[in-house]
Structure formats: structure tokens, C-alpha cells
Amino acid sequence: MPFYKVMSLAKPLAIPSVNDAKRWWHRLAPHRQDRVAMLAPLAAVLLFFAAIVAALGYLRLEEMEREQEAVQRDVEYTQQRLRLRLLERQEQITRVGREIASRDIDSADFRARAANLLDQYPEIQAMAWVDDKKRTVASQGMGESPIGPYHITGDVLLQESRSAGYALTRQLNQLIYIQPPAVDGEAPRLQMYLPLNHRGRFVGVLISEYSVDGLYRYGIPSEVSARYAVSLQDANGRLLAGTSIPGRKIANPLAPWASLGNEYSMPVSPVGTGLVIRAQAYRASLGVIGSGLFWLVTALSVLTAWMLIANWRHTRRRQQAQQALMSETNFRRAMENSMLTGMRAMDLQGRITYVNAAFCQMTGWTESDLVGRTAPFPYWPDSEREHIAARLEEELTGNATPGGIQVRVKRKDGSLFDARLYVSPLIDAMGTQTGWVTSMTDITEPNRVREQLTASHQRFTAVLEALDASISVAPLGSDELLFANKLYRQWFGVQAGGHLQLVAEAGMPSSPTNDDADDSVDSFAGLPTTTLPESDTGNTEIYIASLGKWLEVRTRYLSWVDGRLAQMVIATDITSRRLAEEQAAHQAERAQTASRLITMGEMASSVAHELNQPLTAINNYCNGMVSRIRGQQISESELLSALEKTAKQAQRAGQIIQRIRNFVKRSEPNRTLSEVPPMVAEAMELAEIELRRFNVRLNHYVAARLPPVLVDPILIEQVLVNLLRNAAESIDMAARAAPQRIVELRVIPKKISDKQVIEFSVQDNGLGLAPEVMERLYEAFYSTKADGMGIGLSLCRSIVESHLGRMTAQNIYNGEQLAGCRFAFWLPLGDSDTLTRAEPLPLQPNLG
């Protein structure tokens, strides 16, 4: 059995018992010792390397701390030297400022004092005296501005930085230091602004500019600059003076070969954060990397680690091999115990040497009961021992059946079950047969299901054979008949010709068509490849001349049991139904003609009165002409006028007779796309004869631009005439006054259930309909008139519904009082879908 099939039959592993757990523990004890022996070298290597790394790291940290402390001390000492030098210059410049403020010196004295300071202290580059009007009183060493030398007073503040510093000093009224922005081509400077006050009043500012490079050269001790890369920087870290070592990222500062790069920076007072001194230590010492002891220890460590790792790898490979063997053995044992297929092994003497858990579970016997036993085995039924022994002998001699053997097996409790055995030789690794292996499967449930399926198939076939419809199935594009029931065989035989004939005459393709014979495209392209639709393709009624029968044919596509796409045809004999429908249609047509004749009979007096008027006029015209001709009192023009009037009255009488004749004549139903206004006009002319007899006035409204409808105009006129006559009779029975004797006819377009229709409504102000009358309104032969036949409204509704329309009736109330009745019916518009569905319908009255 393939592996994937075996795994699909697997069952959950059983929970091991306490004894099993003990056996596994003792079995794994040697492996635990091997695992400890394998991990010991690795642990020794790791501990050794950890000790070496810890010692080197400790020495490295101590060295880094010593160098960092030395850098910090030297930077603080240098910062103090710079601070004292700046404070000394600040004190001297302040003294000059006080003398200026007290007006003890003038501009010439100031220039002399400033020149003396510039000569004595090289770090001072320039000095300027600016009054409270921003005018430069005197300056010394200011150099040139972007527009030229400072030759005129007031031009010192032309530089934006000096102007800003002047304004800030005046605002704060205290001494400030400013680091001006860098200018290309100029050395970095440091500006000091000293406010001048005389008796509490601001009188100007004394500006002094320091050279940052001069501060570096004359303020940094030489012994410090010899050991470190000392630099002066601004608040943003921009180098102003001195030297700086480019910084680099150190991945591991504790490594012996890593450059420490110790550095320290701090602001220079009294300037503040605008001027920072920074010192970076040079890498002058080789550290521990130059030590011979370090290299000796490193070499010994590497050698020891290599030996330990080699031992660890060998131990690990050996344990991996053992673990793989154990895992394979345990996996095979678990797979065998989890299988639902029973496994049994026998040696060449026929003695059982192995059974798995599934075999024991099937038979109910334990492993100890079966291992070592020879035939007959305890699970053989007593009544079938000879038969099973013979079959087993055939299998052991090599006459194995490919499908196995089916036998009955007895459980330990005496119950029996069906099983299928597969026997094959057991071959060892050397290719030698050492016995036989047998797999056993319980097939009791499959046999039961197979028997039920067979019985179900027989019942289903009996039902299909007894149907009064012909059923046949054939694959697409083939003349093979896959299935045919009894009635099909009686009609067409056992060939597929009848199936193809039904499909062809029903207008349904038996196979996809392909116009290009050379086209390599699959002719079944486009057909569904997944679930086929459940719905039928439709019903078609055809006449089979060879059978003399009318058949209703339905087809549908289905996927046959072998996967082929097939077509099923169901043909039902509807000959008797067709005859009944034809008779019903004939009776309906006669009922409609009779209804129109009855309507004309009821309107006979009105028609006679209508015809009497033109006939009386004709008689009067003729008598008058005869009298005047005899008396020779008529001229030719008067005679011609009288004859024309006589002809017009005769034409009127003829039109009345022709309209009545067209209305009552018997004709075949003829549905056509008809215009609504002419149809309504014909019905109104016929109905107005009766309405005038009842002294009822007709108000009508027909919407403009109505689309045509697919109807038989004569039948719709009949419905309208009946509704208008009923409305007039209802008003007459209510004895309404003359102003209230009104019938309203409205024809408008509407939308009902998302379908465009045309609604015809007739409303009267008669007595309305009683509840008991409303319930039986369309019942055949029910009438509220003493001389009525009760087929008018029933026939009207049948005509409307045969045109796919609906008719409704409702009472009209004026408050609590019944004020009349409204009949309405609607017809769908004459589209192609309506034409397809309406044309085959016979005109049948609803008489029940």
C-alpha cells in the first residue's frame, strides 16, 4: 500500500503506560551520557574563551579610564589658562572703557592706547569706539569691510554682526561675547562688546575683536598641544583654530587593536558655549597587543579550542547517527501501530512472527495469543477453515490473486466480519525471502454500502422505467446512447437516433458547432468546466409524425459518471393536453363572440334609436325634395345640397352598422402592435350609444405619445365597452342627478414592479360594490342584474390576463360614504419579450 494511503488511515498515537515510560527511560540512559560527553568539550571551550575575553576586557577598560582622566585634566588646565588670559584682557579693556565713559581720554588717546594693547597682546586684533548714535568715534586695526577700508566714522557697524552685537549690548547693558558668522577669506574672530555708561546713561560701546588663532597660539600650553590634538570650535562643532583628528566609528572599543580615540571638550569661560576647547589623545601606546604573553596565550587558546571542537564534532556526528536510527525506528513503530490496516508476518514454516496493533484490535486477540501460532489460526471461523486453508496455501505457493482474497474472520468474542487479505513475500536486506507478510482490511462497511447502493440503483432504475416520460442521455458530439428508459425504447428503440431527432426538432444543439473545419480550437471551448447549471434549458413542444404524438421536450447538460459532458432529453406525451387546449381555445373564442352578441342584444334599443335618427333625417330630406320638385320650388343648387345632406346621414347610418358588425363578427385572435388612441376611440363610439340611453356623460383622458401595445384590438375594445356599460348601469341604478351622471375613462402610462405598462381605468359615481359582491366579482355565471348572465367581468379578466395583464376593482369613498367604483386593468408594452411570451397563449375565459 502506498505511503500516502497508509498515512490517511492513520489513527492517533496511544498514550504510553508507566511501564513503557520506564523502558524508554532506561533505553535513553546511554544516550544521555553521550550527550553530556558531547557537550563537555564545547562548554570547556566556551569557558576558556570567556575567561580570556574577560581578562583582556578588564585591562582594556582600565587603560581607557586612565587615558580619559588624563585628557580631562589637561583640558581643564588649558581652559583655566585661556580663561585667565581672557579675563586679564577683559580687565584692561574695561579700564579703557571706564576712562572713555568718564571722558578722561579723547579719540587720539584711545587710538594710542588701542595700538599699545594690539602690540602688547597679539590675540587682540582690533578695537573700536562707537557712540550712542552708532557713529565710530575711533577705531584701531579693524581692517577692511566689504565696501572698503574704515576711513570714515560710523562705518564700523556696516557689518551686520557688529550692528547686531551693538544692539544687543545696548539692550542688555552688560559685557557680552559674540562669535560672528564665518566669512570666506577671513580668519575666525571673537568679538567682545563693552557698554559705556556715564552716570547711568548709555553713551556708547567699546568693541574688541580677538583672533581665535591668536588665542590658540598664545593661550594653549605647549606641553598640552604636544600630547593632544587641541582645537577651538564653535557651538556647532566647526573648527576655528588648532588641529583635529577625524573621528571614525569603532566597532568594538575593547579590542586590543582598536584605537581608543580618547577626547574631551568643554566651553571656554567667560565666552560661554560659543567657544569650546577640545582635546583628542594621540595613539602613542601599543597596549597589550605588543605583549608577547598575549600572543602566547592566544596561540595556546586557539590550539586548545581546535582540539576540543574536533572532539565535539566527532561526538556530535556519532550521536546524530544514533538519534537518526532511533527516530527512524520509533517512526516506523508508531506508523505501524497507528495504521488501521492489520499487518501479520509469518516465517517460511507458516508460523506467525509479528502482528501489529490494528490486527489485534480487529480480531480481538492479543499479540501473545497469536505470535508463534501455526494454521489453523484461532481467528478462522470453524465452518470455513478448509476453504481459508486452501486459499492460504494458494497464496503461499505463489498463486497470489492481484485483488487479494476475501474471507470471513472470527473475533475472540465469536462475532464475524468480512476482511480482504493481501499476501506478499517478506524479503530481507540481502534479498533473501524470510517469510510472508499479510495485510488485512475490514470491508464489512464497504460491503454494506455496496449492497445499499445496488438496491438503491435498482429502485431508481425501476422508477425511471415506470415514468410516463421518455428519458435519454447521450454524450455531446456522439451518437452513443448512454441511458434510455422503457418508454424511450418503446418509441425509438435502443439507438441514439430518437435522442438526436428530439434535440434537432426542439431547436437545441446536440453538440457545439464549429464553422471552420480546419480550426484547431477545441469545439467544447466555452462550456462550463466546474459545476453545471441546475436549471433546464427550457420547454419546447414538437410534433413527431412517426409517433403521431405531441411531445414536450426538455434538455439539460450534465457531467456523466466518466467525466464526459452529456445531454439529457426528457420528452413527455402532451397530445391529450394539446387537444384539450385547442378545444378550450375554441370554446373561449365562441364565448367571446357570444358575449359581444349579448352586448349588442342588450344595446339593441339604443342602437335602434341611434339608427333611427339618420334614417328619419333621410326620410325627411327625401319627402321635402319630392314636395318641392313637384311644386317646382327648388333650384339645382338647393337640390344638390339636400342630396349631400341625405348622403351624409346615410353614411352615418352605414358607419354605425359597420362598427357593430366589426364588433360582433367572429374572427381568429390576432395580436398585433396596436396604437392605443384609435382602439380607445372605437370603444368610446360603441359605448356612447348605450351611455346616451342612460343619460350619462363620458369624460376621457388619453395620455399623449403612448407607445404601442401587443394586443388583439377587438378584445380590448370588448373589455372597455363592458366596463363602460357597467359603469353607466351602476349610475342609472343609483338614480344620480344629471350633473352627477359622469363616467371617467383614463389611459395613462405607469410603472408596476419595475415594468412599464399602460393602465386603463373606468370610474363611476354609482352605488359601488358590496363586500359579498367583491368576493365573487370574477366568478363565472354570478351577476347582480336580474337579467344578467354573469360572464362579462369573468371574460374581461380572462382577456386581460391572456395579454399578460392584470385587472383590479375598488370602491371609492367620500369620507365614510360610498361614492362609486373604479375598475382598472394594465397591459405590458409591446416589446420582443412580451411578444415571445404572449403569442402562444390561447384566449381562455376564467370560468371557475
Side-chain angles (χ1 to χ4, degrees), residues 56 59 256 286-301:
L56 293 177
L59 294 176
L286 295 177
V288 295
I289 197 170
S291 174
L293 178 62
F294 170 78
W295 287 110
L296 178 61
V297 171
T298 302
L300 292 177
S301 300

Side-chain angles (χ1 to χ4, degrees), residues 101-287:
S102 60
R103 300 179 181 178
D104 292 336
I105 62 174
D106 56 6
S107 59
D109 296 332
F110 169 75
R111 279 191 289 270
R113 296 283 293 276
N116 186 28
L117 288 175
L118 266 60
D119 293 337
Q120 187 176 0
Y121 305 110
E123 65 270 20
I124 302 178
Q125 263 191 335
M127 296 180 66
W129 172 13
V130 182
D131 62 9
D132 56 348
K133 300 292 193 306
K134 293 186 179 182
R135 295 177 299 187
T136 303
V137 178
S139 64
Q140 183 67 31
M142 279 295 179
E144 295 184 352
S145 70
I147 61 173
Y150 297 118
H151 296 305
I152 61 175
T153 58
D155 56 355
V156 170
L157 299 184
L158 290 178
Q159 283 193 1
E160 185 178 352
S161 61
R162 293 173 182 163
S163 179
Y166 176 88
L168 183 59
T169 304
R170 184 168 186 171
Q171 178 183 358
L172 300 177
N173 197 21
Q174 64 181 14
L175 186 144
I176 62 173
Y177 285 89
I178 293 179
Q179 178 69 46
V183 179
D184 295 339
E186 292 187 6
R189 294 167 297 158
L190 178 65
Q191 296 175 347
M192 185 186 76
Y193 293 85
L194 178 65
L196 304 177
N197 296 285
H198 180 63
R199 296 180 181 178
R201 185 175 66 86
F202 177 79
V203 297
V205 174
L206 179 58
I207 303 176
S208 303
E209 290 188 353
Y210 291 86
S211 170
V212 179
D213 186 64
L215 287 174
Y216 173 79
R217 282 187 294 165
Y218 299 103
I220 304 298
S222 59
E223 64 273 14
V224 175
S225 61
R227 291 197 300 271
Y228 306 102
V230 182
S231 60
L232 295 177
Q233 301 177 354
D234 61 7
N236 298 324
R238 184 170 59 90
L239 179 64
L240 301 177
T243 58
S244 176
I245 301 176
R248 62 179 183 272
K249 185 177 181 181
I250 301 175
N252 185 7
L254 297 179
W257 54 85
S259 177
L260 294 178
N262 290 330
E263 62 180 46
Y264 187 74
S265 60
M266 64 183 299
V268 178
S269 60
V271 178
T273 59
L275 186 63
V276 177
I277 182 172
R278 179 185 182 190
Q280 296 172 286
Y282 295 114
R283 178 63 175 172
S285 172
L286 295 177

Side-chain angles (χ1 to χ4, degrees), residues 518-556:
D518 298 331
D519 193 357
S520 61
V521 177
D522 185 5
S523 61
F524 293 98
L527 289 177
T529 58
T530 57
T531 305
L532 294 171
E534 296 295 335
S535 59
D536 296 338
T537 57
N539 300 344
T540 306
E541 297 179 1
I542 61 175
Y543 180 75
I544 304 298
S546 59
L547 299 177
K549 298 178 181 295
W550 280 96
L551 302 180
E552 182 184 64
V553 180
R554 291 176 294 160
T555 67
R556 67 179 301 174

Side-chain angles (χ1 to χ4, degrees), residues 541-766:
E541 297 179 1
I542 61 175
Y543 180 75
I544 304 298
S546 59
L547 299 177
K549 298 178 181 295
W550 280 96
L551 302 180
E552 182 184 64
V553 180
R554 291 176 294 160
T555 67
R556 67 179 301 174
Y557 294 105
L558 52 87
S559 180
W560 195 243
V561 293
D562 56 2
R564 287 185 293 174
L565 187 62
Q567 187 179 33
M568 179 175 64
V569 177
I570 303 174
T572 307
D573 186 1
I574 59 170
T575 305
S576 58
R577 192 188 75 187
R578 291 279 299 201
L579 293 176
E581 288 177 353
E582 291 177 0
Q583 294 177 0
H586 181 67
Q587 294 296 332
E589 182 185 350
R590 294 181 61 185
Q592 293 159 10
T593 304
S595 175
R596 292 195 293 272
L597 291 174
I598 292 171
T599 301
M600 286 296 100
E602 294 174 348
M603 295 172 58
S605 60
S606 300
V607 172
H609 176 72
E610 189 71 15
L611 287 174
N612 186 51
Q613 292 181 359
L615 293 177
T616 301
I618 293 172
N619 183 48
N620 293 336
Y621 284 134
C622 290
N623 290 335
M625 286 187 292
V626 170
S627 299
R628 295 185 65 180
I629 290 173
R630 287 177 179 173
Q632 297 182 354
Q633 297 176 355
I634 188 170
S635 62
E636 183 178 353
S637 60
E638 292 176 345
L639 179 61
L640 181 60
S641 176
L643 289 175
E644 289 176 350
K645 293 179 180 180
T646 302
K648 185 178 295 185
Q649 295 297 325
Q651 184 180 6
R652 178 187 173 193
Q655 289 176 348
I656 296 174
I657 295 174
Q658 182 64 29
R659 190 175 298 115
I660 295 173
R661 181 177 177 275
N662 291 337
F663 182 73
V664 300
K665 74 175 180 179
R666 182 175 180 178
S667 61
E668 294 296 327
N670 181 24
R671 287 190 178 92
T672 59
L673 284 175
S674 304
E675 297 293 336
V676 175
M679 188 167 52
V680 175
E682 287 289 335
M684 288 171 53
E685 291 181 0
L686 286 172
E688 280 182 345
I689 299 174
E690 191 74 1
L691 264 63
R692 284 195 293 270
R693 182 168 71 90
F694 290 110
N695 193 22
V696 174
R697 186 171 74 254
L698 175 62
N699 292 341
H700 71 281
Y701 170 75
V702 180
R705 295 186 296 275
L706 289 175
V709 290
L710 183 67
V711 295
D712 187 333
I714 297 299
L715 297 179
I716 301 304
E717 291 174 15
Q718 180 178 352
V719 174
L720 290 174
V721 169
N722 282 340
L723 295 180
L724 291 171
R725 288 185 64 251
N726 289 344
E729 291 175 354
S730 177
I731 293 175
D732 187 63
M733 292 174 62
R736 300 294 186 189
Q740 299 179 350
R741 302 172 75 87
I742 300 174
V743 174
E744 293 185 1
L745 170 63
R746 292 177 59 84
V747 182
I748 56 174
K750 283 187 97 174
K751 188 174 184 180
I752 299 177
S753 299
D754 296 332
K755 180 166 56 176
Q756 297 294 336
V757 300
I758 295 180
E759 184 186 62
F760 301 78
S761 63
V762 177
Q763 180 176 331
D764 61 64
N765 52 5

Side-chain angles (χ1 to χ4, degrees), residues 1-12 334-343 356 358 361-362 439-442:
M1 182 178 292
F3 176 74
Y4 67 89
K5 292 186 178 179
V6 172
M7 293 303 294
S8 65
L9 299 175
K11 62 181 180 180
M335 185 175 66
E336 292 174 1
N337 293 335
S338 302
M339 290 174 55
L340 296 180
T341 302
M343 303 295 295
N356 69 342
Q361 184 177 0
M362 287 182 186
S439 63
M440 182 174 67
T441 305
D442 186 355

